[in-house]
Amino acid sequence: MKILAIETSCDDTAVAIVKFARNKTEILSNIVSSQTEIHKEWGGVHPALAKREHDKNLPLVFEKALNNFKADAIAVTVGPGLDPCLWSGIGFAKKIAQEMNLPIIPANHIEAHILINLLGKKTKFPAIALIVSGGHTQLILMTKIGRYKIIGETKDDAVGECFDKTARILGLGYPGGPAIAVMAARISNLETRISKQNSFKIQNSKFKIHLPRPMINTKDYDFSFSGLKTAVLYDFKKRSGKERESEGYKVEMAKEIQQAAIDILIKKTLSAINDFGAKALILGGGVSANEELRNQFKKRVREKEYEIDFLIPPKNLSTDNAAMIAVAGYYNKKKATRNYDGISARPNLRIG
Ligand code: KG4
Ligand code: ZN
């Protein structure tokens, strides 16, 4: 079975074709057109501009992805996401479904971030999935494919959003996550040490920045990242113009922002693994492309000697793409329909 998938929930226009077979599952094409340059000016995604770009780019991305492949069904993201952007992808999916005489499978973007980890792989259940992106920070208990329960989520900003906003304060550009990661990496591991709390401290720190770790010790699995942003703003405001502009300040601050987020995410996720007796840990979403986050998660899981599967997508499949929508479509193939009118955008669609 070959699935052609379309993803336009945020600021990436993506089309992919994935072939699912008993013995070999293969991504035949996977094209992502990023709108980063357009949204830079706003420091975040501008929905109306994003829709305009999706409408413009979809036919081009589609042509490139389609090549000469023939698909059996079309999967499209129906939510969660930005309403005008979702409609852009859905409208396009309906048009080509009609032309190609194919059924449409509606797909959930969050489920797709989870299931991309199962492309050509199996895992054990129950699993704990941590989805970290620009729009979401959720801990999800997964008892089997298709059965999910959100056990915790952010009360305010998503972690990716926190990176985007704090990077803007520091003047590091957009998207903030990768910009913060690049800055933070300028402090080599030799210059950091692990403190008793298992957190990194910068050796010979000039600026002695310490950000809070909001909600890290609460018994639930919820998160809060807006306080982190406020703390960055306060610290930034109390610095002199010269300090703010200095590379040293930006590097130390980026490292501390990244580490604060990692500390919180790891602590809550490991608690969930323990409490639910999870046999697998699954990461997904744009922030899971972060190298430090990946390494520190691996290290902590190894230290704890958990007998669990640990799944993280390759970096290009952590951030938004359509191959993941094809996988979500495949596992939801029962929902395939030719009643195109029944398919609509669901901006607040929740998993489970
Ligand atoms: O999953 P995604 O591509 O789109 C959404 O569904 O939101 O995630 C985008 C988010 C952005 O906030 C971006 O700053 C963050 O993921 N991000 C990263 C990295 N790459 C993307 N954050 C930290 N480190 C990265 N390497
Ligand atoms: Zn996403």
Side-chain angles (χ1 to χ4, degrees):
M1 178 177 197
K2 289 197 202 86
I3 296 185
L4 189 155
I6 298 167
E7 154 62 40
T8 60
S9 67
C10 193
D11 63 342
D12 291 303
T13 314
V15 180
I17 300 180
V18 181
K19 181 179 162 189
F20 299 88
R22 210 167 277 279
N23 47 4
K24 194 173 173 211
T25 296
E26 213 183 335
I27 298 178
L28 300 179
S29 63
N30 186 26
I31 312 288
V32 182
S33 164
S34 159
Q35 302 176 2
T36 307
E37 285 305 314
I38 314 260
H39 300 291
K40 247 183 184 153
E41 202 181 314
W42 308 88
V45 182
H46 188 294
L49 282 183
K51 181 186 165 42
R52 191 192 70 189
E53 287 303 301
H54 286 312
D55 290 343
K56 193 174 86 192
N57 292 331
L58 264 171
L60 310 170
V61 176
F62 169 70
E63 277 308 320
K64 212 167 158 187
L66 189 63
N67 215 338
N68 283 319
F69 298 120
K70 276 207 159 42
D72 302 294
I74 295 171
V76 63
T77 310
V78 295
L82 301 168
D83 191 58
C85 298
L86 292 166
W87 275 114
S88 174
I90 292 169
F92 189 77
K94 288 181 183 179
K95 185 171 144 286
I96 57 166
Q98 225 135 29
E99 283 169 14
M100 299 165 105
N101 189 24
L102 293 175
I104 297 182
I105 312 168
N108 178 311
H109 185 89
I110 300 294
E111 184 179 27
H113 272 307
I114 296 176
L115 294 183
I116 187 65
N117 283 286
L118 298 183
L119 182 80
K121 271 191 218 145
K122 283 193 175 145
T123 191
K124 294 178 268 182
F125 297 106
I128 291 291
L130 172 69
I131 300 304
V132 274
S133 72
H136 292 85
T137 306
Q138 291 182 330
L139 267 171
I140 296 160
L141 173 67
M142 181 179 179
T143 43
K144 63 177 191 179
I145 293 173
R147 179 65 57 100
Y148 314 94
K149 185 172 179 225
I150 299 172
I151 55 168
E153 63 190 319
T154 183
K155 297 282 180 201
D156 39 57
D157 293 351
V159 60
E161 188 180 357
C162 171
F163 288 156
D164 294 336
K165 287 178 175 172
T166 51
R168 193 170 162 84
I169 296 171
L170 298 175
L172 298 181
Y174 176 83
I180 285 183
V182 167
M183 271 322 233
R186 294 195 187 163
I187 296 184
S188 75
N189 282 336
L190 286 177
E191 289 172 282
T192 61
R193 68 185 160 80
I194 300 172
S195 74
K196 280 204 187 88
Q197 290 81 32
N198 224 328
S199 184
F200 285 83
K201 284 269 164 60
I202 299 164
Q203 297 253 40
N204 309 320
S205 163
K206 184 166 168 210
F207 297 94
K208 307 265 180 303
I209 303 164
H210 182 77
L211 297 176
R213 269 70 173 153
M215 290 185 73
I216 196 166
N217 289 319
T218 56
K219 287 267 169 276
D220 53 28
Y221 310 103
D222 289 331
F223 303 92
S224 166
F225 289 100
S226 72
L228 198 50
K229 172 197 64 198
T230 313
V232 171
L233 189 62
Y234 277 156
D235 189 277
F236 184 80
K237 281 190 169 161
K238 76 176 194 216
R239 306 284 171 181
S240 69
K242 201 171 157 215
E243 278 181 324
R244 288 177 192 175
E245 289 305 314
S246 70
E247 157 120 358
Y249 178 69
K250 291 183 187 183
V251 166
E252 283 198 23
M253 183 55 103
K255 181 85 183 171
E256 177 66 5
I257 295 168
Q258 182 177 266
Q259 194 56 49
I262 293 174
D263 287 346
I264 299 164
L265 294 171
I266 291 187
K267 173 88 191 296
K268 294 260 162 155
T269 306
L270 296 192
S271 300
I273 290 174
N274 277 323
D275 298 349
F276 290 92
K279 298 196 173 104
L281 167 61
I282 294 175
L283 298 191
V287 176
S288 71
N290 185 282
E291 190 69 24
E292 268 303 307
L293 178 105
R294 296 164 85 94
N295 289 340
Q296 291 186 37
F297 253 109
K298 277 183 204 154
K299 188 166 165 282
R300 291 294 293 281
V301 167
R302 217 173 28 234
E303 277 169 9
K304 294 264 178 194
E305 297 180 351
Y306 289 140
E307 298 262 321
I308 60 170
D309 289 347
F310 184 23
L311 296 109
I312 324 181
K315 287 183 191 171
N316 68 320
L317 299 178
S318 288
T319 48
D320 284 353
N321 64 86
M324 70 184 199
I325 303 304
V327 181
Y330 176 75
Y331 286 110
N332 285 282
K333 52 185 187 286
K334 276 197 193 134
K335 293 184 190 157
T337 176
R338 286 175 191 272
N339 173 18
Y340 305 146
D341 288 345
I343 297 174
S344 55
R346 300 179 62 191
N348 300 318
L349 181 64
R350 285 171 73 80
I351 194 173

